[in-house]
Amino acid sequence: MSPLDQTARRDGGRIVAALAAAFRDLDLAEEAYAEACARAAAVWPAAPPLDPAAWLYATARRCALDMIRRRNVRCRSAPEPPAPQPSAEDALTSDDRLIPDERLRLIFVCCHPAVAPESRAALTLRLVCGLSVAEIARAFLVAEPAMFQRLTRAKKKIAEAGVSFEVPGPEAWPERMAAVLSTLEVAYARAHEDAAGSGPHAGYAREMLDLTAVLADLAPSEPEALAFAALVRFAEARRPARLDVDGAMVPLADQDPKRWNRALIADGDALLRRAAQLNRPGPRQLRAALHGAWALRRSLAEPPPWETLLALYDLLLDAGYDPFVRLNRAVVLAEVAGPAAALAEVEALDAGRLDAFQPYHAVKADLLARLGRVEEASNAYDRALEMAPGEAERRWLIRRRSFMASAD
């Protein structure tokens, strides 16, 4: 991976958020950042900077100022000489090289009530988290052109409404909190599904610990914010046990609980207890409780809490239909009622909507294999592998497919 790719994956969202906060213009922030990346691609191979993120940020700021200057010139119909292109040394010695982390502010901006509810999380994932339009479309199970139009309308609405680029006061948080949390959930899911931490969004897993801590401090009376902060801690606590010696993913039921981070689990437990004490139950508290139930396990000698997990998934479904919840529930149901019952649940899902969702094919493949339907399972494994899963997930799928074939 090139230095530019590494920097863009690690710091792109932070840079775009800082630019948007500085210039109060979402399109300008994206355009300036893209121009800075193009300049970096031309300059860095011959003269790599000492601080790549600082170079991108300072260069993008200058690009944004150039764009504003050109707009003003066009309005006045008078020529103006262009500013000289900065060198890597110019950027590194600039006072602008320190990048402010404005992501939480921009998340609240994108989740303003002026933006359509179905667009708030999507816009934030694009600007703050750097997800592509295709990735966001898959996350929300919509067509890519429709998602592109949705994002375009949302940015236009923010510009037309004159939305303030500031974190609003506490009185405005309730109307934005659901969208803020939905955004963070999808961003974290993209990072968490990559067990090896080798994908483009892996950095958000660690950063989400910080973002959710800030959010929990800002909104200590919001139980769903506390619960999501707890969920992130429970899930990140398991990271040390998520890979085997060959670099393949280890399913949750097979992870050694002795390798889990007990300090993070204790933090998550405290946050979830605080949420429960507010006596306003919600779906994120149930999701955090699912992770918390796993965290009670201390060794592989203790059986997984399948019955408890199934009851929690049933409560989640009572709160509203969610195909992702039903898919995860099917995994648990297979352990409680057998793979045939679980497969019936999976086959009742909308295959058209879930066809682009890789875990859907992986779960279906495993259930078919357990029922001895080898040819169908092989096709499902192949479909899951076609969707370019992370390296750890790819190794696990190949292993499972090979084991099934050898056992046949």
Side-chain angles (χ1 to χ4, degrees):
M1 187 185 302
S2 71
L4 178 56
D5 287 336
Q6 290 178 333
T7 305
R9 290 183 177 191
R10 184 182 65 245
D11 298 299
R14 186 161 58 106
I15 293 170
V16 171
L19 293 169
F23 294 101
R24 296 340 197 226
D25 188 324
L26 302 180
D27 281 325
L28 179 66
E30 285 195 293
E31 291 174 18
Y33 175 66
E35 176 62 24
C37 288
R39 294 186 185 183
V43 172
W44 287 11
L50 297 176
D51 188 336
W55 193 99
L56 277 181
Y57 174 60
T59 302
R61 276 184 60 89
R62 290 187 174 90
C63 290
L65 291 170
D66 286 345
M67 292 173 184
I68 293 171
R69 185 183 299 112
R70 287 195 293 271
R71 289 178 188 174
N72 293 337
V73 167
R74 285 196 296 270
C75 291
R76 294 195 303 267
S77 299
E80 184 173 324
Q85 181 172 327
S87 67
E89 290 72 21
D90 291 334
L92 285 170
T93 57
S94 167
D95 289 339
D96 295 332
R97 70 182 185 275
L98 297 178
I99 310 170
D101 196 330
E102 303 283 3
R103 279 174 294 190
L104 194 58
R105 180 193 299 193
L106 189 54
I107 288 173
F108 273 99
V109 171
C110 294
C111 293
H112 191 280
V115 178
E118 68 274 11
S119 301
R120 295 172 191 168
L123 181 61
T124 313
L125 291 166
R126 177 76 189 108
L127 291 173
V128 185
C129 303
L131 270 66
S132 68
V133 177
E135 288 175 316
I136 299 168
R138 285 198 299 271
F140 289 95
L141 303 179
V142 301
E144 187 174 343
M147 181 55 69
F148 179 81
Q149 292 177 353
R150 186 181 295 182
L151 294 168
T152 301
R153 287 194 299 268
K155 287 189 286 186
K156 183 179 180 181
K157 189 65 177 179
I158 285 176
E160 292 174 345
V163 173
S164 171
F165 278 67
E166 303 295 340
V167 175
E171 70 283 351
W173 292 348
E175 62 184 351
R176 305 192 197 189
M177 188 59 70
V180 168
L181 291 173
S182 294
T183 297
L184 296 179
E185 282 178 328
V186 175
Y188 180 66
R190 294 294 298 170
H192 182 70
E193 68 186 17
D194 175 17
S198 59
H201 310 298
Y204 283 111
R206 177 63 184 83
E207 292 174 23
M208 202 61 69
L209 289 170
D210 298 329
L211 280 175
T212 54
V214 172
L215 194 60
D217 286 341
L218 281 175
S221 61
E222 287 288 342
E224 293 290 84
L226 296 173
F228 180 62
L231 182 153
V232 171
R233 279 146 186 79
F234 288 140
E236 284 305 294
R238 301 194 299 266
R239 190 165 293 278
R242 294 188 68 193
L243 298 181
D244 66 14
V245 293
D246 297 319
M249 178 191 77
V250 179
L252 182 49
D254 297 329
Q255 291 176 20
D256 185 354
K258 293 179 181 178
R259 298 183 61 195
W260 293 346
N261 185 323
R262 288 291 157 185
L264 278 178
I265 289 174
D267 290 344
D269 186 62
L271 285 162
L272 189 54
R273 288 178 184 275
R274 283 172 54 193
Q277 288 168 359
L278 294 169
N279 199 28
R280 300 203 309 275
R284 290 177 183 86
Q285 293 171 67
L286 289 172
R287 291 191 182 98
L290 284 162
H291 289 264
W294 279 107
L296 294 173
R297 201 177 183 207
R298 291 283 179 166
S299 75
L300 285 170
E302 298 178 26
W306 298 123
E307 296 283 355
T308 299
L309 296 171
L310 187 61
L312 288 168
Y313 275 121
D314 287 341
L315 289 173
L316 265 176
L317 287 177
D318 287 343
Y321 175 81
D322 185 325
F324 303 118
V325 171
R326 287 193 63 186
L327 184 64
N328 287 322
R329 180 185 180 277
V331 175
V332 176
L333 184 65
E335 305 300 329
V336 176
L343 183 61
E345 289 286 318
V346 170
E347 291 180 334
L349 297 173
D350 186 343
R353 288 187 70 197
L354 291 172
D355 185 62
F357 188 53
Q358 184 264 338
Y360 166 73
H361 299 284
V363 170
K364 191 171 182 179
D366 178 68
L367 295 173
L368 288 166
R370 291 166 68 175
L371 291 168
R373 295 161 61 174
V374 176
E375 184 176 353
E376 294 170 272
S378 295
N379 292 335
Y381 275 125
D382 289 343
R383 178 66 178 128
L385 287 163
E386 286 171 4
M387 302 178 72
E391 180 59 23
E393 290 74 18
R394 186 185 70 83
R395 289 174 182 244
W396 180 79
L397 288 167
I398 290 174
R399 181 184 296 170
R400 295 294 299 172
R401 192 185 190 286
S402 299
F403 176 79
M404 176 193 66
S406 63
D408 183 37

mmCIF file of all heavy atoms in Angstrom, residues 72-115:
data_model
loop_
_atom_site.group_PDB
_atom_site.id
_atom_site.type_symbol
_atom_site.label_atom_id
_atom_site.label_comp_id
_atom_site.label_asym_id
_atom_site.label_seq_id
_atom_site.Cartn_x
_atom_site.Cartn_y
_atom_site.Cartn_z
ATOM 1 N N ASN A 72 -14.295 34.153 -6.561
ATOM 2 C CA ASN A 72 -14.430 35.604 -6.417
ATOM 3 C C ASN A 72 -13.981 36.327 -7.674
ATOM 4 O O ASN A 72 -14.586 37.332 -8.079
ATOM 5 C CB ASN A 72 -13.618 36.089 -5.219
ATOM 6 C CG ASN A 72 -14.180 35.593 -3.903
ATOM 7 O OD1 ASN A 72 -15.361 35.254 -3.819
ATOM 8 N ND2 ASN A 72 -13.336 35.533 -2.883
ATOM 9 N N VAL A 73 -12.931 35.819 -8.309
ATOM 10 C CA VAL A 73 -12.445 36.424 -9.544
ATOM 11 C C VAL A 73 -13.500 36.317 -10.632
ATOM 12 O O VAL A 73 -13.761 37.275 -11.368
ATOM 13 C CB VAL A 73 -11.126 35.756 -9.996
ATOM 14 C CG1 VAL A 73 -10.774 36.155 -11.434
ATOM 15 C CG2 VAL A 73 -9.999 36.139 -9.057
ATOM 16 N N ARG A 74 -14.122 35.142 -10.743
ATOM 17 C CA ARG A 74 -15.166 34.976 -11.754
ATOM 18 C C ARG A 74 -16.319 35.932 -11.517
ATOM 19 O O ARG A 74 -16.905 36.480 -12.451
ATOM 20 C CB ARG A 74 -15.659 33.528 -11.762
ATOM 21 C CG ARG A 74 -14.694 32.548 -12.415
ATOM 22 C CD ARG A 74 -15.390 31.241 -12.746
ATOM 23 N NE ARG A 74 -15.854 30.565 -11.540
ATOM 24 C CZ ARG A 74 -15.132 29.694 -10.849
ATOM 25 N NH1 ARG A 74 -13.891 29.405 -11.237
ATOM 26 N NH2 ARG A 74 -15.629 29.095 -9.787
ATOM 27 N N CYS A 75 -16.643 36.132 -10.238
ATOM 28 C CA CYS A 75 -17.741 37.051 -9.918
ATOM 29 C C CYS A 75 -17.388 38.481 -10.306
ATOM 30 O O CYS A 75 -18.232 39.263 -10.746
ATOM 31 C CB CYS A 75 -18.080 36.983 -8.435
ATOM 32 S SG CYS A 75 -18.831 35.419 -7.941
ATOM 33 N N ARG A 76 -16.106 38.862 -10.177
ATOM 34 C CA ARG A 76 -15.682 40.239 -10.489
ATOM 35 C C ARG A 76 -15.267 40.386 -11.943
ATOM 36 O O ARG A 76 -15.044 41.494 -12.419
ATOM 37 C CB ARG A 76 -14.487 40.623 -9.613
ATOM 38 C CG ARG A 76 -14.806 40.708 -8.137
ATOM 39 C CD ARG A 76 -13.700 41.447 -7.407
ATOM 40 N NE ARG A 76 -12.390 40.819 -7.612
ATOM 41 C CZ ARG A 76 -11.859 39.923 -6.808
ATOM 42 N NH1 ARG A 76 -12.537 39.525 -5.735
ATOM 43 N NH2 ARG A 76 -10.663 39.403 -7.041
ATOM 44 N N SER A 77 -15.149 39.226 -12.655
ATOM 45 C CA SER A 77 -14.699 39.218 -14.044
ATOM 46 C C SER A 77 -13.360 39.900 -14.206
ATOM 47 O O SER A 77 -13.097 40.612 -15.179
ATOM 48 C CB SER A 77 -15.745 39.908 -14.953
ATOM 49 O OG SER A 77 -16.957 39.223 -14.894
ATOM 50 N N ALA A 78 -12.505 39.726 -13.232
ATOM 51 C CA ALA A 78 -11.172 40.329 -13.298
ATOM 52 C C ALA A 78 -10.137 39.243 -13.044
ATOM 53 O O ALA A 78 -10.308 38.426 -12.146
ATOM 54 C CB ALA A 78 -11.043 41.437 -12.270
ATOM 55 N N PRO A 79 -9.036 39.214 -13.835
ATOM 56 C CA PRO A 79 -8.020 38.177 -13.634
ATOM 57 C C PRO A 79 -7.214 38.404 -12.380
ATOM 58 O O PRO A 79 -7.073 39.527 -11.906
ATOM 59 C CB PRO A 79 -7.144 38.310 -14.884
ATOM 60 C CG PRO A 79 -7.272 39.752 -15.256
ATOM 61 C CD PRO A 79 -8.689 40.139 -14.919
ATOM 62 N N GLU A 80 -6.736 37.322 -11.837
ATOM 63 C CA GLU A 80 -5.879 37.399 -10.658
ATOM 64 C C GLU A 80 -4.827 36.314 -10.774
ATOM 65 O O GLU A 80 -5.131 35.177 -11.131
ATOM 66 C CB GLU A 80 -6.708 37.190 -9.384
ATOM 67 C CG GLU A 80 -5.902 37.345 -8.110
ATOM 68 C CD GLU A 80 -6.790 37.292 -6.873
ATOM 69 O OE1 GLU A 80 -7.911 37.808 -6.949
ATOM 70 O OE2 GLU A 80 -6.359 36.739 -5.854
ATOM 71 N N PRO A 81 -3.555 36.635 -10.536
ATOM 72 C CA PRO A 81 -2.507 35.614 -10.695
ATOM 73 C C PRO A 81 -2.703 34.472 -9.709
ATOM 74 O O PRO A 81 -3.092 34.691 -8.567
ATOM 75 C CB PRO A 81 -1.217 36.392 -10.404
ATOM 76 C CG PRO A 81 -1.656 37.557 -9.575
ATOM 77 C CD PRO A 81 -3.022 37.910 -10.066
ATOM 78 N N PRO A 82 -2.435 33.237 -10.145
ATOM 79 C CA PRO A 82 -2.605 32.096 -9.244
ATOM 80 C C PRO A 82 -1.542 32.066 -8.166
ATOM 81 O O PRO A 82 -0.422 32.541 -8.360
ATOM 82 C CB PRO A 82 -2.468 30.888 -10.181
ATOM 83 C CG PRO A 82 -1.591 31.396 -11.292
ATOM 84 C CD PRO A 82 -1.952 32.847 -11.477
ATOM 85 N N ALA A 83 -1.893 31.516 -7.025
ATOM 86 C CA ALA A 83 -0.920 31.347 -5.943
ATOM 87 C C ALA A 83 0.037 30.219 -6.301
ATOM 88 O O ALA A 83 -0.340 29.265 -6.982
ATOM 89 C CB ALA A 83 -1.637 31.032 -4.638
ATOM 90 N N PRO A 84 1.279 30.312 -5.877
ATOM 91 C CA PRO A 84 2.227 29.240 -6.187
ATOM 92 C C PRO A 84 1.838 27.949 -5.487
ATOM 93 O O PRO A 84 1.314 27.958 -4.378
ATOM 94 C CB PRO A 84 3.559 29.784 -5.640
ATOM 95 C CG PRO A 84 3.159 30.761 -4.579
ATOM 96 C CD PRO A 84 1.881 31.375 -5.072
ATOM 97 N N GLN A 85 2.105 26.827 -6.159
ATOM 98 C CA GLN A 85 1.794 25.524 -5.571
ATOM 99 C C GLN A 85 2.767 25.236 -4.433
ATOM 100 O O GLN A 85 3.977 25.367 -4.599
ATOM 101 C CB GLN A 85 1.896 24.436 -6.633
ATOM 102 C CG GLN A 85 1.552 23.051 -6.114
ATOM 103 C CD GLN A 85 1.483 22.033 -7.243
ATOM 104 O OE1 GLN A 85 1.100 22.351 -8.358
ATOM 105 N NE2 GLN A 85 1.870 20.812 -6.949
ATOM 106 N N PRO A 86 2.262 24.845 -3.248
ATOM 107 C CA PRO A 86 3.165 24.617 -2.117
ATOM 108 C C PRO A 86 3.999 23.357 -2.304
ATOM 109 O O PRO A 86 3.542 22.378 -2.901
ATOM 110 C CB PRO A 86 2.201 24.453 -0.939
ATOM 111 C CG PRO A 86 0.952 23.938 -1.560
ATOM 112 C CD PRO A 86 0.870 24.608 -2.911
ATOM 113 N N SER A 87 5.194 23.400 -1.804
ATOM 114 C CA SER A 87 6.041 22.211 -1.798
ATOM 115 C C SER A 87 5.775 21.432 -0.522
ATOM 116 O O SER A 87 5.093 21.911 0.394
ATOM 117 C CB SER A 87 7.517 22.608 -1.862
ATOM 118 O OG SER A 87 7.874 23.280 -0.665
ATOM 119 N N ALA A 88 6.347 20.245 -0.438
ATOM 120 C CA ALA A 88 6.196 19.455 0.787
ATOM 121 C C ALA A 88 6.782 20.201 1.972
ATOM 122 O O ALA A 88 6.225 20.187 3.075
ATOM 123 C CB ALA A 88 6.890 18.101 0.619
ATOM 124 N N GLU A 89 7.905 20.890 1.747
ATOM 125 C CA GLU A 89 8.534 21.627 2.847
ATOM 126 C C GLU A 89 7.662 22.787 3.291
ATOM 127 O O GLU A 89 7.565 23.099 4.488
ATOM 128 C CB GLU A 89 9.905 22.136 2.406
ATOM 129 C CG GLU A 89 10.948 21.044 2.221
ATOM 130 C CD GLU A 89 10.687 20.186 0.981
ATOM 131 O OE1 GLU A 89 9.974 20.648 0.068
ATOM 132 O OE2 GLU A 89 11.184 19.055 0.952
ATOM 133 N N ASP A 90 7.016 23.471 2.338
ATOM 134 C CA ASP A 90 6.111 24.563 2.709
ATOM 135 C C ASP A 90 5.015 24.057 3.628
ATOM 136 O O ASP A 90 4.688 24.681 4.643
ATOM 137 C CB ASP A 90 5.458 25.160 1.452
ATOM 138 C CG ASP A 90 6.459 25.913 0.593
ATOM 139 O OD1 ASP A 90 7.467 26.405 1.137
ATOM 140 O OD2 ASP A 90 6.217 25.993 -0.622
ATOM 141 N N ALA A 91 4.432 22.932 3.256
ATOM 142 C CA ALA A 91 3.325 22.398 4.059
ATOM 143 C C ALA A 91 3.781 21.996 5.442
ATOM 144 O O ALA A 91 3.096 22.229 6.436
ATOM 145 C CB ALA A 91 2.696 21.205 3.338
ATOM 146 N N LEU A 92 4.943 21.386 5.527
ATOM 147 C CA LEU A 92 5.414 20.893 6.809
ATOM 148 C C LEU A 92 5.800 22.015 7.761
ATOM 149 O O LEU A 92 5.735 21.853 8.977
ATOM 150 C CB LEU A 92 6.601 19.948 6.602
ATOM 151 C CG LEU A 92 6.217 18.564 6.066
ATOM 152 C CD1 LEU A 92 7.466 17.803 5.664
ATOM 153 C CD2 LEU A 92 5.466 17.782 7.116
ATOM 154 N N THR A 93 6.215 23.160 7.208
ATOM 155 C CA THR A 93 6.605 24.273 8.078
ATOM 156 C C THR A 93 5.467 25.250 8.315
ATOM 157 O O THR A 93 5.626 26.235 9.023
ATOM 158 C CB THR A 93 7.791 25.027 7.458
ATOM 159 O OG1 THR A 93 7.427 25.483 6.140
ATOM 160 C CG2 THR A 93 9.008 24.130 7.374
ATOM 161 N N SER A 94 4.307 24.979 7.705
ATOM 162 C CA SER A 94 3.175 25.874 7.873
ATOM 163 C C SER A 94 2.567 25.744 9.263
ATOM 164 O O SER A 94 2.551 24.677 9.862
ATOM 165 C CB SER A 94 2.100 25.548 6.825
ATOM 166 O OG SER A 94 0.883 26.183 7.129
ATOM 167 N N ASP A 95 2.036 26.865 9.750
ATOM 168 C CA ASP A 95 1.339 26.824 11.037
ATOM 169 C C ASP A 95 0.057 26.023 10.942
ATOM 170 O O ASP A 95 -0.538 25.664 11.957
ATOM 171 C CB ASP A 95 1.015 28.246 11.504
ATOM 172 C CG ASP A 95 2.266 28.996 11.929
ATOM 173 O OD1 ASP A 95 3.270 28.329 12.246
ATOM 174 O OD2 ASP A 95 2.219 30.234 11.919
ATOM 175 N N ASP A 96 -0.391 25.747 9.717
ATOM 176 C CA ASP A 96 -1.646 25.023 9.517
ATOM 177 C C ASP A 96 -1.463 23.515 9.610
ATOM 178 O O ASP A 96 -2.403 22.769 9.420
ATOM 179 C CB ASP A 96 -2.240 25.350 8.138
ATOM 180 C CG ASP A 96 -2.636 26.803 8.017
ATOM 181 O OD1 ASP A 96 -2.961 27.418 9.046
ATOM 182 O OD2 ASP A 96 -2.608 27.305 6.884
ATOM 183 N N ARG A 97 -0.235 23.047 9.839
ATOM 184 C CA ARG A 97 -0.010 21.615 9.718
ATOM 185 C C ARG A 97 -0.681 20.789 10.813
ATOM 186 O O ARG A 97 -0.836 19.593 10.675
ATOM 187 C CB ARG A 97 1.483 21.311 9.693
ATOM 188 C CG ARG A 97 2.218 21.535 10.991
ATOM 189 C CD ARG A 97 3.702 21.226 10.801
ATOM 190 N NE ARG A 97 4.445 21.315 12.045
ATOM 191 C CZ ARG A 97 4.942 22.434 12.546
ATOM 192 N NH1 ARG A 97 4.748 23.570 11.912
ATOM 193 N NH2 ARG A 97 5.624 22.445 13.671
ATOM 194 N N LEU A 98 -1.033 21.428 11.935
ATOM 195 C CA LEU A 98 -1.735 20.693 12.988
ATOM 196 C C LEU A 98 -3.195 20.567 12.587
ATOM 197 O O LEU A 98 -3.880 21.560 12.383
ATOM 198 C CB LEU A 98 -1.598 21.420 14.325
ATOM 199 C CG LEU A 98 -0.163 21.535 14.850
ATOM 200 C CD1 LEU A 98 -0.147 22.327 16.150
ATOM 201 C CD2 LEU A 98 0.442 20.160 15.071
ATOM 202 N N ILE A 99 -3.675 19.337 12.489
ATOM 203 C CA ILE A 99 -5.028 19.097 11.981
ATOM 204 C C ILE A 99 -6.002 19.030 13.144
ATOM 205 O O ILE A 99 -5.934 18.096 13.953
ATOM 206 C CB ILE A 99 -5.097 17.770 11.200
ATOM 207 C CG1 ILE A 99 -3.972 17.709 10.159
ATOM 208 C CG2 ILE A 99 -6.445 17.616 10.521
ATOM 209 C CD1 ILE A 99 -3.843 16.334 9.526
ATOM 210 N N PRO A 100 -6.921 19.960 13.256
ATOM 211 C CA PRO A 100 -7.932 19.837 14.323
ATOM 212 C C PRO A 100 -8.863 18.679 14.014
ATOM 213 O O PRO A 100 -9.176 18.414 12.857
ATOM 214 C CB PRO A 100 -8.674 21.176 14.257
ATOM 215 C CG PRO A 100 -8.495 21.640 12.849
ATOM 216 C CD PRO A 100 -7.140 21.141 12.404
ATOM 217 N N ASP A 101 -9.283 17.952 15.044
ATOM 218 C CA ASP A 101 -10.206 16.840 14.836
ATOM 219 C C ASP A 101 -11.620 17.360 15.023
ATOM 220 O O ASP A 101 -12.082 17.545 16.149
ATOM 221 C CB ASP A 101 -9.903 15.704 15.811
ATOM 222 C CG ASP A 101 -10.573 14.409 15.357
ATOM 223 O OD1 ASP A 101 -11.636 14.503 14.715
ATOM 224 O OD2 ASP A 101 -10.031 13.333 15.629
ATOM 225 N N GLU A 102 -12.279 17.603 13.913
ATOM 226 C CA GLU A 102 -13.607 18.223 13.924
ATOM 227 C C GLU A 102 -14.699 17.220 13.586
ATOM 228 O O GLU A 102 -15.814 17.608 13.256
ATOM 229 C CB GLU A 102 -13.648 19.365 12.889
ATOM 230 C CG GLU A 102 -12.607 20.442 13.082
ATOM 231 C CD GLU A 102 -12.964 21.399 14.206
ATOM 232 O OE1 GLU A 102 -13.998 21.177 14.863
ATOM 233 O OE2 GLU A 102 -12.225 22.372 14.427
ATOM 234 N N ARG A 103 -14.391 15.918 13.685
ATOM 235 C CA ARG A 103 -15.348 14.947 13.177
ATOM 236 C C ARG A 103 -16.660 14.940 13.944
ATOM 237 O O ARG A 103 -17.729 14.853 13.340
ATOM 238 C CB ARG A 103 -14.719 13.555 13.164
ATOM 239 C CG ARG A 103 -13.846 13.342 11.955
ATOM 240 C CD ARG A 103 -13.110 12.036 12.007
ATOM 241 N NE ARG A 103 -12.142 12.032 13.091
ATOM 242 C CZ ARG A 103 -11.229 11.084 13.250
ATOM 243 N NH1 ARG A 103 -11.175 10.086 12.404
ATOM 244 N NH2 ARG A 103 -10.370 11.135 14.235
ATOM 245 N N LEU A 104 -16.602 15.029 15.261
ATOM 246 C CA LEU A 104 -17.854 14.984 16.010
ATOM 247 C C LEU A 104 -18.721 16.196 15.664
ATOM 248 O O LEU A 104 -19.943 16.084 15.550
ATOM 249 C CB LEU A 104 -17.578 14.932 17.512
ATOM 250 C CG LEU A 104 -18.784 14.543 18.370
ATOM 251 C CD1 LEU A 104 -19.339 13.174 17.959
ATOM 252 C CD2 LEU A 104 -18.424 14.536 19.847
ATOM 253 N N ARG A 105 -18.074 17.349 15.470
ATOM 254 C CA ARG A 105 -18.835 18.530 15.069
ATOM 255 C C ARG A 105 -19.516 18.298 13.726
ATOM 256 O O ARG A 105 -20.704 18.599 13.552
ATOM 257 C CB ARG A 105 -17.901 19.744 14.970
ATOM 258 C CG ARG A 105 -18.636 21.018 14.545
ATOM 259 C CD ARG A 105 -17.686 22.132 14.134
ATOM 260 N NE ARG A 105 -16.799 22.531 15.216
ATOM 261 C CZ ARG A 105 -16.060 23.641 15.175
ATOM 262 N NH1 ARG A 105 -16.104 24.432 14.117
ATOM 263 N NH2 ARG A 105 -15.273 23.961 16.180
ATOM 264 N N LEU A 106 -18.770 17.763 12.758
ATOM 265 C CA LEU A 106 -19.348 17.556 11.435
ATOM 266 C C LEU A 106 -20.436 16.489 11.463
ATOM 267 O O LEU A 106 -21.398 16.550 10.701
ATOM 268 C CB LEU A 106 -18.250 17.171 10.438
ATOM 269 C CG LEU A 106 -18.665 17.132 8.967
ATOM 270 C CD1 LEU A 106 -19.310 18.436 8.530
ATOM 271 C CD2 LEU A 106 -17.485 16.809 8.077
ATOM 272 N N ILE A 107 -20.316 15.510 12.349
ATOM 273 C CA ILE A 107 -21.379 14.508 12.490
ATOM 274 C C ILE A 107 -22.679 15.192 12.900
ATOM 275 O O ILE A 107 -23.751 14.926 12.343
ATOM 276 C CB ILE A 107 -20.973 13.438 13.517
ATOM 277 C CG1 ILE A 107 -19.874 12.537 12.936
ATOM 278 C CG2 ILE A 107 -22.183 12.574 13.904
ATOM 279 C CD1 ILE A 107 -19.288 11.563 13.932
ATOM 280 N N PHE A 108 -22.606 16.114 13.870
ATOM 281 C CA PHE A 108 -23.811 16.824 14.283
ATOM 282 C C PHE A 108 -24.354 17.716 13.170
ATOM 283 O O PHE A 108 -25.566 17.882 13.023
ATOM 284 C CB PHE A 108 -23.526 17.654 15.537
ATOM 285 C CG PHE A 108 -23.699 16.891 16.821
ATOM 286 C CD1 PHE A 108 -22.608 16.359 17.484
ATOM 287 C CD2 PHE A 108 -24.955 16.708 17.369
ATOM 288 C CE1 PHE A 108 -22.764 15.655 18.669
ATOM 289 C CE2 PHE A 108 -25.123 16.001 18.552
ATOM 290 C CZ PHE A 108 -24.025 15.468 19.202
ATOM 291 N N VAL A 109 -23.443 18.303 12.359
ATOM 292 C CA VAL A 109 -23.884 19.130 11.233
ATOM 293 C C VAL A 109 -24.661 18.282 10.228
ATOM 294 O O VAL A 109 -25.760 18.637 9.796
ATOM 295 C CB VAL A 109 -22.669 19.794 10.547
ATOM 296 C CG1 VAL A 109 -23.094 20.463 9.242
ATOM 297 C CG2 VAL A 109 -22.041 20.831 11.468
ATOM 298 N N CYS A 110 -24.086 17.150 9.858
ATOM 299 C CA CYS A 110 -24.730 16.288 8.861
ATOM 300 C C CYS A 110 -26.050 15.709 9.361
ATOM 301 O O CYS A 110 -26.902 15.318 8.557
ATOM 302 C CB CYS A 110 -23.791 15.156 8.468
ATOM 303 S SG CYS A 110 -22.301 15.695 7.602
ATOM 304 N N CYS A 111 -26.203 15.638 10.657
ATOM 305 C CA CYS A 111 -27.434 15.081 11.238
ATOM 306 C C CYS A 111 -28.431 16.173 11.612
ATOM 307 O O CYS A 111 -29.350 15.941 12.403
ATOM 308 C CB CYS A 111 -27.093 14.228 12.461
ATOM 309 S SG CYS A 111 -26.156 12.734 12.045
ATOM 310 N N HIS A 112 -28.267 17.356 11.047
ATOM 311 C CA HIS A 112 -29.196 18.466 11.300
ATOM 312 C C HIS A 112 -30.592 18.088 10.820
ATOM 313 O O HIS A 112 -30.765 17.414 9.794
ATOM 314 C CB HIS A 112 -28.697 19.711 10.549
ATOM 315 C CG HIS A 112 -29.407 20.967 10.927
ATOM 316 N ND1 HIS A 112 -30.645 21.298 10.426
ATOM 317 C CD2 HIS A 112 -29.057 21.969 11.773
ATOM 318 C CE1 HIS A 112 -31.030 22.463 10.929
ATOM 319 N NE2 HIS A 112 -30.084 22.886 11.754
ATOM 320 N N PRO A 113 -31.636 18.511 11.522
ATOM 321 C CA PRO A 113 -33.001 18.146 11.109
ATOM 322 C C PRO A 113 -33.403 18.698 9.747
ATOM 323 O O PRO A 113 -34.384 18.227 9.161
ATOM 324 C CB PRO A 113 -33.876 18.731 12.235
ATOM 325 C CG PRO A 113 -33.009 19.677 12.983
ATOM 326 C CD PRO A 113 -31.621 19.198 12.826
ATOM 327 N N ALA A 114 -32.660 19.675 9.209
ATOM 328 C CA ALA A 114 -32.965 20.155 7.862
ATOM 329 C C ALA A 114 -32.681 19.099 6.812
ATOM 330 O O ALA A 114 -33.255 19.120 5.725
ATOM 331 C CB ALA A 114 -32.144 21.414 7.557
ATOM 332 N N VAL A 115 -31.807 18.165 7.129
ATOM 333 C CA VAL A 115 -31.462 17.078 6.207
ATOM 334 C C VAL A 115 -32.482 15.954 6.377
ATOM 335 O O VAL A 115 -32.880 15.623 7.495
ATOM 336 C CB VAL A 115 -30.038 16.557 6.491
ATOM 337 C CG1 VAL A 115 -29.688 15.399 5.564
ATOM 338 C CG2 VAL A 115 -29.029 17.691 6.351
#
